[in-house]
Amino acid sequence: MVKEYGDTWVYEGIVGGLPGIELSNTHAVAIQFGLFQVGILVFAAIYDLWSAALAGTAAVIVAAVGSVAMHRLGTQNRAVDAPAAYYRLLFGSSIEVVLSVLAFIALITHLFVFDVQSAGEPLITTLFGAEPPVIVVYLVLLVAWDLCYRIGTSWWAAVVSLWRALTIPCEPAAASQFVRIDLENAAFAASQVILLPFLLDQPVLLVAVSGHIGAVAVVSAASIWLTRTAADPLFATTRD
């Protein structure tokens, strides 16, 4: 399937647009996971930060799962015969980037302002000590951005799916495809549960991540219910 500008996530466009390099989805995710994970292990060994390595590994795993989910959601959405307006909203608007930037800025503000001013030891200090190595913080923020981008994309996909279920009628075959897409998006959100044990002492982040997981589940469930109901011939007969 040929991907055109405006029909892909920004992440897909970057991977597919690298000059002179052709990466399969599997290779792109493997390289992403390998580079992040090797960096975490190397810096953990150099700076004796093994207590933080487990949390970092969990974040890298979720980011890699998110990359797989983005590839799959993108491919499956493009395979459905849906109006152009749906694809313009889902891919062409790049709203997932806006949501990701807002989430990342909120995270930075929390870590370096709110958390520092609150009672108790800041999360950065807990993980990396009183004087965190600059290169380690750089890697952590890079992984954090990766996570925020995947989470923002998941949320946007859920919102657009609900909009589609409310406004765009579809045939039973397309409805079944959209239901599978919604289920996969909800499954990706559920995978973020592995982050929660590391946030138990961070109530704001715990509520934020838990709230996102729950919100995607609720919105996706609503989209699935509306899609199935609208595609059911018995429902259509009753409604008429």
Side-chain angles (χ1 to χ4, degrees):
M1 182 181 299
V2 178
K3 300 176 184 177
E4 298 181 358
Y5 177 76
D7 290 334
T8 63
W9 308 117
V10 171
Y11 167 71
E12 291 180 294
I14 292 174
V15 172
L18 294 175
I21 300 176
E22 293 186 6
L23 293 175
S24 67
N25 294 343
T26 301
H27 289 157
V29 174
I31 291 172
Q32 170 197 337
F33 178 81
L35 289 176
F36 281 157
Q37 188 58 34
V38 168
I40 286 174
L41 295 178
V42 168
F43 292 138
I46 292 174
Y47 296 105
D48 192 23
L49 296 173
W50 293 109
S51 59
L54 186 58
T57 298
V60 170
I61 289 173
V62 173
V65 171
S67 294
V68 173
M70 289 185 67
H71 284 303
R72 289 181 60 84
L73 292 174
T75 300
Q76 291 177 17
N77 268 294
R78 288 187 291 270
V80 183
D81 184 15
Y86 172 72
Y87 295 110
R88 283 198 302 269
L89 187 61
L90 183 64
F91 297 118
S93 65
S94 297
I95 296 298
E96 84 276 6
V97 178
V98 176
L99 295 176
S100 305
V101 170
L102 292 176
F104 185 67
I105 292 174
L107 176 63
I108 295 298
T109 303
H110 174 82
L111 290 177
F112 296 104
V113 180
F114 179 84
D115 200 26
V116 172
Q117 296 176 357
S118 301
E121 188 175 63
L123 180 60
I124 292 294
T125 302
T126 300
L127 292 175
F128 310 115
E131 297 182 359
V134 174
I135 189 63
V136 173
V137 174
Y138 178 88
L139 178 61
V140 167
L141 293 180
L142 186 60
V143 174
W145 161 252
D146 213 40
L147 273 176
C148 288
Y149 178 63
R150 269 75 184 160
I151 289 173
T153 302
S154 177
W155 176 236
W156 182 237
V159 170
V160 175
S161 288
L162 182 59
W163 171 83
R164 183 261 311 150
L166 288 168
T167 61
I168 301 176
C170 57
E171 298 297 325
S176 296
Q177 290 175 287
F178 280 129
V179 167
R180 286 195 294 271
I181 290 169
D182 289 335
L183 287 172
E184 289 208 17
N185 190 29
F188 167 54
S191 72
Q192 297 158 34
V193 169
I194 69 172
L195 299 174
L196 299 184
F198 303 100
L199 303 176
L200 296 178
D201 295 328
Q202 295 289 321
V204 174
L205 296 179
L206 182 63
V207 169
V209 176
S210 301
H212 164 73
I213 295 170
V216 171
V218 170
V219 173
S220 297
S223 175
I224 291 170
W225 182 82
L226 289 168
T227 301
R228 284 179 169 171
T229 304
D232 188 340
L234 293 177
F235 172 81
T237 302
T238 303
R239 184 177 58 182
D240 293 339

